[in-house]
Amino acid sequence: MSAVSLDLDPFAEEFLAAPYAHHEALREAGPVVLLAPIGCYGMARHAEVQAALRDWQTFVSSRGVGLADFQQEEPWRPPSLLLETDPPLHDRTRSLMNRIVSLGALREVAARWQAVADDMIARLVARGRFDGVEDLGAAFPLAVFPDLIGLRSAGREHLIPYATAVFNAFGPRNAVFERGMADAGPAMAWVAEACRRDQLLPGGWGMQVYEAADRGECTAGEAERLVRSFLSAGVDTTVNGIANLIHAFAMHPGQWQRLRQEPALLKRAIEEGLRWDSTVQTFFRTTGRETCVAGVTLPANAKVLLFLAAANRDPRRWENADQFDVGRQSSGHVGFGFGIHQCLGQMVARLEMEVLLRAMIPRVNSINLMGEPRRRINNTLHALASLPVEFRAATD
Ligand code: OVM
């Protein structure tokens, strides 16, 4: 069998603005489709996406996890030593980073993050109306994450524009990419500088990477590149993860009431938010050899787009997949990926959302949408530019 060809560009602005409207067609066309306008394969069903993510020997990452094949063209920046590598290199860098990004390290900051969240939410409730992206989605990660890494204060406003460029660069060199790149120069220069040892504060996760280098676990050059991964992957993902979760609750007031009545559902609600509206919508792999997926032959050296967010709403995997339901058992979603590359920072992302929801449950009676949310179009992220909301104070 060969893959069904679709005349669908998943990086067209119309698709990126409303991806969920297109996912069903992608899933129903077949287990593997040919996306004719961009000349690559695509998979949008949960079983096939998960299987491809599991099979890193066939679906390699070292040729880039964007549309560009690093074997054919020069990467736009030196490749990530985590995301854009295969074993054995990947396992060495990932093990090193796993020792730094640990549950123990997060336990040390949890109480402080909770206090920051409590204070931020109390102020937003007092204000009433605010922007769910700027005043909460971006404000909270920026209040805790750069300090965790040990970044100096000056220039932190470059973090989001840098991430925008990084996540746009996984797509084609379309107008979305060009717009993101147009003013990314200063952000790229700032990030390059911020990753250097002499710029990092003692005790932070950035300096801990250099200390691993001191122990011979990697070179100083590798350490610099690994610190860059924190800055690339750790900010815009959580910014929009939080904003998307607030948006989900604003659209589903009954679900917010249910969580308030059953706070024990907190962790489930977070996973459900990640399943229902996955910030990272897609990643590519490249076939290192010919392979067969559900009876369809894929040639070697092909780019394959994995629709994580579509897999997370596959009715073959979830009942009422399009419904946001905080009581659902959502584990098994691929919003953080799956397999050896599964999100290194997932515990950080979860903790940020946890402390925020813990702060909100007793204080926020209702979350009301006060205007049309505006999307921020990105080739990889399902992102919001603004989310006008109101937190009505709890009196109970
Ligand atoms: C990296 C990196 C960049 C973007 C995303 C990501 C989701 C990792 O530089 O390692 O993971």
Side-chain angles (χ1 to χ4, degrees), residues 9-13 16 168 171-180 379:
D9 177 1
F11 298 99
E13 292 187 41
L16 295 170
N168 275 331
R173 297 323 183 225
N174 55 12
V176 178
F177 170 84
E178 296 299 342
R179 279 203 299 273
N379 278 333

Side-chain angles (χ1 to χ4, degrees), residues 65 77-84 97 162-163 166-167 170 225-234 237 280 283 336 341 343-344 380-381:
V65 296
R77 61 172 194 163
S80 163
L81 295 173
L82 293 160
L83 183 75
E84 294 157 331
M97 295 292 268
Y162 179 72
V166 168
F167 283 98
F170 296 121
R225 192 96 64 85
L226 288 169
V227 174
R228 193 192 67 181
S229 283
F230 284 141
L231 310 192
S232 304
T237 48
V280 176
F283 265 129
F336 285 135
H341 290 279
C343 182
L344 167 69
T380 303
L381 302 175

